[in-house]
Amino acid sequence: MAHNAAPLGVGIVGLSANGGWAARGHLPALSAAGGYELRALTASSPESARKAAAAFGLPDSAAGTDAGALAARDDIDVVVVTVRVPRHRELILPLLRAGKTVLSEWPLGNGLAEADELAALAAESGTRTAVGLQARSAPVVRYLRDLVADGYVGEVLSTTLVGSGGGWGPAVQERSAYVADRANGATMLTVPFGHTLDALTMVLSGFDSLSATTATRRPEVRVTETGASLPMTAEDQIAVTGQLSGGAVASLHYRGGSSRGTNFLWEINGTEGDLVVTGGSGHLQFGQVELHGSRGEEAEPRRLTVPESYELVPGLDGPAGVVANAYVQLRTDLTEGTSLVPDFAHAAAHHRLLDRITTAARTGTRA
């Protein structure tokens, strides 16, 4: 979706010429969304910053290592933070003080305290913020929300969700090894489960009460490239049951690794019908799922095609396509004053829900 206004200048913190999510997800999404222009970047060293600038068509003067200096540039309107979670807080703080719009990858912080601190500073400074909980921007998820709101299933009685983490299985690649350590904040709970849970609460409602069981069933995993053994402290089993504020009963179970059977199944069952979302990955934020539904006298679920009006960036499929939909929504927010994309306050609230799950699992009490 193109915009007629001048493009917004974008600076990306953590853009590398060696691949990574910024290059695979954000760059094609920004290009496809329209209304944005990459103008600066930072990387971990001056050399890697220069390499990234050369790889992505920017002059050396657009490359650096200081996020604060990037945000101070007059030609930058939006700063995107795509580094690993443990560095989010230190890099986002100067960005908020600079007053530029900040989009941070999810999770916002390494734990609830950091997320609360960043959300409070954003509110205090009046900085416009956004967080990469892009599952809720996926066309299929937005359509699902509207189907439920329009009464497709009648009153929602229950919802059941089973997913596989993909990662957090028997092996991990070297560049992703940090996700095995729960202290780094990028776990199965925060990433695939966290993205999917945010979509579920958008489509249905939040939790009135919940119980949880978590476990690390594989305390040792293998590094793919070397065969070395690596301790894993992140949870690889997450089971949550509870009652949503709308009254429906919810049951969610995420498993580490991949299953030879079901890797993503989400059912919404109501008094008048049923909706079923299926896919090959528990990462709903990638948007690679199919939607089926049946109601009334229909005996079998049929494939439901997402109407074209939900596709904000036609033709860009896969994970980058979902991110592109979020960028279109963000552009609308910035130009028209809407609030389509979740901000830091929303991110802190979602961190709080995950903290409730962690507490319920640790204490064995309802939260």
Side-chain angles (χ1 to χ4, degrees), residues 69-81:
L70 180 150
R73 291 173 57 118
D74 291 338
D75 61 345
I76 296 299
D77 303 296
V78 180
V79 182
V80 181
V81 178

Side-chain angles (χ1 to χ4, degrees), residues 34-46:
Y36 296 95
E37 186 177 89
L38 178 67
R39 293 179 182 161
L41 62 88
T42 70
S44 55
S45 70

Side-chain angles (χ1 to χ4, degrees), residues 2 8 27 40 91 101 108 134 153 157 193 214 230 236 239 242 279 286 349:
L8 295 169
L27 283 187
L91 292 172
T101 296
L108 173 57
Q134 68 266 17
V153 300
L157 300 173
F193 183 86
T214 63
L230 180 74
D236 59 11
F286 293 162

